[in-house]
Amino acid sequence: MMARSVFIAFGESVGFLVDQVNDKRTCSTEGCNGILVPSSVQRVGLGGNMRVEFQCSGCVGGGVNFDSSTFVREGKRQLLGHSVALSFILNGQTYEKYSQTLCLGLGIPVFSEDTYTGILKKAYPHIHAVLNRQIQRARMDMKEMDPSKVGSWKRAVTSGDGVYHTRGYHSKNMSVLLVDYKENGLLAAVHLCMRGKDITTQDIPLFPGTSKAAEGYGFELIWEELKNDGIKVEVHWQDGDSTSSKSFTEYFPDGKVMYCGGHVGRAHGKQLEKMAACKKFTLGYQQKHSKYKGLDKLVCHCMGKKHKPTCGCLSPKCIKQMKINHFAALVQSGTDHELYAKRMRVLGEYHSKNIHSWKDGQCDFHSDKRCTCKKCTPLDVQCEGKPYSTSHPLTCPMHSMAYKIEVEERAAKSRDVIHPDMGRGHSNYPEARNNVLIRYRSKSISLNRLAYCTWTDIGLLQGNMTWCYKKYGGQYHWVTEVYTAMELPIPEGVVETAKKRNEVRMQRLEVMKTEKAKDRRIALKVARAMAQEERKRWNKGRRVQHTYGDEEAGDGNEDAGDGNEETDGEGMEETGDNETDVDIESESSSSGSDSGSSDGEDDEADNLLSETAMPSKIRKRATVVSITRKTCVCGGSDHMRRSSKKCPQYKPRQQKESNLSKA
């Protein structure tokens, strides 16, 4: 008996088979010499299947039928057609993609949209049940642990995050996830939808509030359910969302909310970018930081002129370095929050101003000199070297004070970032699942409740595969569970393919943890940075310069910066940046690199430029046409068009109409 496998074939292949039968077999009716010929072919409404009826050309008997799929008369469904449609659903495809791929691409008649939606409705309860079993298994594992152990049900350590379906706070759908921080098991998932009328998901009430408050409300539902189940959360790691922290403290006042180091670093960088755009402190900023006297008298020393790369203000390169320094302080502090606070204050008070020793101490996170032989370790420079100096020192009094205030705020919240037992933490576990979700439901398609809940659950199942591999083994895959629950045959090869994909995936994850893989990621980031510098130089050599108005002129090939450089706090460990002022000795994974200043990167960028096909020396042209979006034709920078009342060439509408009538 042939295996239950799925294959692709032309319809005429069935005719070729019958022709071979006709050559070797005759009609079973006595005295009839007829052959089998197709009498009818049915394809419409079968979901890609085909039914062919063959009749004898010489008599009325002896006919045979060919069905490309098993037909269940009780359920009135073609098994293979439903399996194909379900396969598209399990891969996050809408009816449009299902129809476009099969019907438009291959000419295969497919199910109607109502039938496809019906399969979606049948699949959702089974998909949700599979996800719920995994959630209950993760909870049971925590309950079976020793209650006195950190990570157990009575001393839980969790991490959570909310994810919007479409970008922005206007999204009509949102999900809130909670993960076991110790084992990376999914503990809860709540979907909040603003629209949907289907009865399949009627147990999920429509969310009556705003999208902004959805994350906090979702955590309220999660904490209420888990608290009724007896959980006691000791530590909860999250991003900076205030609504979720309020929900946690409402249900667990004795618990501790800790903030992801990566998000803290990102917020640190954004605050510096905001202050870099200012040349004096606003009244609101002065009132917020009223304990610092004389803020109203401090102004940027570039007031009335443009910034330059080396003017001593907060520049993009300077901010990038400060973000790296912040992450290095997180790494080197270990579990000592006081050390983190101390180093942040030292960075703001002394290091940023190129002061490395003072009356009561000195910078203890770097040596007195920089290596020039590129062979010494950052904290043990044996060669002659050169005196240590900050890569981008702050000399502007206003920006120096802004940086000092910012690092003081980070230092004051050190207990919320550095845990006394776990050190710095993260919210990577729930956010990694969020990255999987976009593969199963596009952010550009607005979905109703049924489709959103179905494809979000599918994305969560796939995002939980690493945990499933450890708990159920390499042969497990949630797809086979869904097929079985829907009473559909599992096609031959699905189980073996799932097992192989699991093994390959886990091998790839192990390879990504090796030092060689880390070095490669570092090299790629450095190469991207150098390529970006090359492209900026090429742009500046053009006669017509296309900018967004935020690049400020520098001299020579110096990069004035465009403020678009972003460094994720969690990714700084792998940057391998040679400019790092605060040296990461224990966490560094790049070999043969020194902790020198930006001169080394500039030399490498110049060497790369000389090896490319782009012109390394571009002639200076007398006329440079700058196309920007932040200046008006009159030359004013506080408006963009002559229709603005700030423009000296502005003319009221009535005056324009009178001028036209005179003309």
Side-chain angles (χ1 to χ4, degrees):
M1 183 177 179
M2 293 185 64
R4 180 170 280 172
S5 58
V6 180
F7 59 91
I8 298 176
F10 285 107
E12 60 184 5
S13 300
V14 181
F16 295 152
L17 175 62
V18 173
D19 290 341
Q20 297 179 48
V21 173
N22 288 331
D23 292 340
K24 299 182 179 181
R25 297 290 187 271
T26 58
C27 181
S28 60
T29 304
E30 186 177 356
C32 179
N33 295 323
I35 60 174
L36 290 175
V37 293
S39 59
S40 67
V41 179
Q42 183 181 356
R43 298 178 61 202
V44 178
L46 302 182
N49 295 310
M50 179 175 64
R51 178 181 178 85
V52 185
E53 296 181 359
F54 293 90
Q55 295 292 338
C56 178
S57 61
C59 64
V60 295
V64 295
N65 297 329
F66 170 80
D67 286 299
S68 61
S69 169
T70 305
F71 181 72
V72 181
R73 295 187 180 276
E74 293 79 6
K76 295 182 179 180
R77 56 176 180 163
Q78 294 276 352
L79 293 185
L80 182 56
H82 279 66
S83 297
V84 171
L86 179 63
S87 177
F88 274 86
I89 291 173
L90 297 183
N91 282 279
Q93 302 301 324
T94 61
Y95 179 78
E96 177 65 25
K97 290 295 183 182
Y98 163 72
S99 175
Q100 185 178 7
T101 303
L102 296 182
C103 191
L104 181 61
L106 298 173
I108 300 175
V110 295
F111 287 134
S112 66
E113 187 170 2
D114 290 341
T115 304
Y116 191 80
T117 304
I119 298 174
L120 186 71
K121 290 181 179 180
K122 293 178 182 178
Y124 169 72
H126 302 298
I127 293 170
H128 185 71
V130 174
L131 180 63
N132 189 57
R133 284 196 293 270
Q134 294 183 9
I135 291 175
Q136 296 302 324
R137 170 67 185 273
R139 295 182 184 180
M140 187 58 63
D141 290 345
M142 294 180 65
K143 293 177 181 179
E144 293 175 353
M145 292 176 61
D146 182 1
S148 62
K149 185 178 180 181
V150 176
S152 64
W153 195 247
K154 296 300 181 181
R155 297 190 63 188
V157 182
T158 60
S159 179
D161 190 28
V163 54
Y164 292 94
H165 175 205
T166 55
R167 293 177 176 87
Y169 289 128
H170 57 275
S171 176
K172 302 300 180 184
N173 301 304
M174 185 190 184
S175 296
V176 181
L177 311 179
L178 186 72
V179 178
D180 177 11
Y181 188 81
K182 291 293 187 178
E183 296 295 330
N184 193 18
L186 186 63
L187 298 178
V190 170
H191 305 317
L192 302 176
C193 306
M194 295 185 183
R195 61 187 187 188
K197 300 180 180 179
D198 56 280
I199 61 174
T200 309
T201 53
Q202 62 182 356
D203 58 319
I204 303 176
L206 294 179
F207 177 55
T210 62
S211 298
K212 174 61 178 175
E215 183 171 345
Y217 175 75
F219 272 113
E220 287 182 31
L221 300 178
I222 290 176
W223 296 132
E224 183 177 5
E225 177 190 352
L226 293 181
K227 190 172 184 179
N228 293 335
D229 200 13
I231 195 174
K232 291 184 179 179
V233 183
E234 195 167 287
V235 180
H236 178 65
W237 291 94
Q238 64 164 66
D239 56 17
D241 186 79
S242 60
T243 61
S244 57
S245 60
K246 290 178 182 177
S247 300
F248 177 80
T249 53
E250 177 71 22
Y251 287 88
F252 302 99
D254 297 332
K256 176 64 176 175
V257 175
M258 299 294 295
Y259 294 101
C260 167
H263 285 85
V264 172
R266 190 178 305 168
H268 177 57
K270 289 187 178 298
Q271 282 297 114
L272 294 177
E273 290 172 359
K274 187 183 297 184
M275 295 309 302
C278 301
K279 293 190 175 181
K280 65 178 181 179
F281 294 115
T282 62
L283 182 60
Y285 188 90
Q286 296 175 30
Q287 294 174 349
K288 181 179 179 181
H289 304 284
S290 57
K291 67 177 182 178
Y292 297 95
K293 305 301 181 182
L295 294 183
D296 56 332
K297 300 178 182 179
L298 291 177
V299 294
C300 177
H301 63 192
C302 291
M303 178 68 77
K305 57 183 179 180
K306 293 184 177 181
H307 290 295
K308 292 185 178 181
T310 57
C311 64
C313 299
L314 285 172
S315 64
K317 283 189 176 181
C318 178
I319 294 174
K320 178 182 178 181
Q321 188 59 59
M322 290 173 174
K323 291 163 68 177
I324 295 174
N325 291 345
H326 173 266
F327 180 75
L330 277 175
V331 172
Q332 293 179 344
S333 299
T335 57
D336 189 354
H337 73 90
E338 292 182 353
L339 179 59
Y340 166 75
K342 174 187 174 183
R343 291 193 170 179
M344 291 305 296
R345 291 188 174 104
V346 168
L347 286 172
E349 185 70 29
Y350 301 106
H351 184 87
S352 62
K353 302 174 184 177
N354 204 20
I355 302 173
H356 306 291
S357 61
W358 52 97
K359 181 179 179 181
D360 299 327
Q362 62 179 9
C363 296
D364 59 353
F365 40 79
H366 61 75
S367 59
D368 296 333
K369 55 184 179 180
R370 292 188 185 272
C371 170
T372 55
C373 68
K374 299 185 179 181
K375 296 180 180 179
C376 304
T377 57
L379 297 180
D380 186 19
V381 180
Q382 299 294 333
C383 66
E384 181 179 359
K386 61 180 181 179
Y388 188 94
S389 62
T390 304
S391 302
H392 306 281
L394 288 177
T395 58
C396 173
M398 179 262 181
H399 285 141
S400 296
M401 177 57 72
Y403 182 58
K404 179 181 178 180
I405 294 174
E406 170 59 23
V407 296
E408 178 60 35
E409 289 193 346
R410 300 299 163 191
K413 299 177 181 178
S414 60
R415 294 179 182 271
D416 299 332
V417 183
I418 303 292
H419 191 271
D421 297 322
M422 292 179 281
R424 65 183 176 92
H426 57 80
S427 57
N428 290 353
Y429 293 144
E431 290 180 355
R433 289 172 167 82
N434 298 344
N435 294 332
V436 178
L437 293 179
I438 60 176
R439 304 179 184 180
Y440 292 89
R441 49 167 180 74
S442 173
K443 283 183 171 290
S444 60
I445 301 177
S446 182
L447 301 174
N448 284 341
R449 183 173 57 188
L450 172 63
Y452 175 79
C453 293
T454 302
W455 282 316
T456 302
D457 282 354
I458 290 173
L460 293 176
L461 285 170
Q462 185 60 36
N464 213 31
M465 281 302 296
T466 301
W467 179 86
C468 292
Y469 185 89
K470 298 176 182 178
K471 297 297 180 181
Y472 303 128
Q475 76 284 350
Y476 173 82
H477 202 285
W478 56 271
V479 168
T480 57
E481 282 201 72
V482 177
Y483 272 106
T484 303
M486 293 193 66
E487 299 179 350
L488 291 173
I490 301 176
E492 182 189 26
V494 170
V495 176
E496 287 298 321
T497 301
K499 182 179 179 181
K500 185 176 180 180
R501 287 173 64 91
N502 285 338
E503 293 174 352
V504 171
R505 179 175 176 273
M506 295 307 297
Q507 290 174 1
R508 186 173 66 251
L509 291 178
E510 290 300 322
V511 170
M512 291 174 64
K513 298 177 183 179
T514 62
E515 292 298 320
K516 183 178 180 180
K518 291 181 181 179
D519 290 344
R520 175 171 172 77
R521 291 197 293 272
I522 292 171
L524 290 174
K525 290 181 180 181
V526 173
R528 284 199 299 269
M530 295 172 66
Q532 184 66 13
E533 295 295 325
E534 179 183 352
R535 293 179 182 278
K536 288 179 181 178
R537 289 182 172 88
W538 184 86
N539 283 342
K540 289 181 179 179
R542 298 279 296 165
R543 185 179 67 86
V544 179
Q545 294 186 5
H546 302 275
T547 72
Y548 290 95
D550 54 355
E551 277 195 350
E552 297 189 351
D555 48 351
N557 282 335
E558 284 281 339
D559 178 26
D562 54 6
N564 291 330
E565 298 169 323
E566 291 186 6
T567 305
D568 192 316
E570 285 297 320
M572 292 178 190
E573 181 179 351
E574 300 173 356
T575 58
D577 198 304
N578 290 338
E579 290 187 354
T580 307
D581 288 338
V582 184
D583 301 317
I584 311 176
E585 183 180 33
S586 60
E587 295 280 329
S588 177
S589 60
S590 61
S591 57
S593 62
D594 67 340
S595 59
S597 65
S598 58
D599 295 336
E601 278 191 353
D602 292 338
D603 292 340
E604 290 183 19
D606 291 338
N607 293 335
L608 181 65
L609 283 172
S610 63
E611 297 174 0
T612 61
M614 290 187 180
S616 57
K617 294 182 180 180
I618 304 174
R619 292 180 300 174
K620 294 183 178 180
R621 297 175 176 86
T623 304
V624 177
V625 182
S626 178
I627 300 177
T628 177
R629 299 197 319 190
K630 288 196 174 181
T631 58
C632 180
V633 294
C634 70
S637 59
D638 58 345
H639 60 282
M640 297 172 57
R641 298 178 178 85
R642 286 182 293 180
S643 57
S644 172
K645 293 184 178 180
K646 297 179 181 180
C647 181
Q649 300 180 17
Y650 168 74
K651 294 181 180 180
R653 182 180 297 275
Q654 296 178 352
Q655 183 178 351
K656 290 181 181 179
E657 292 177 352
S658 62
N659 291 339
L660 290 174
S661 61
K662 292 179 181 179

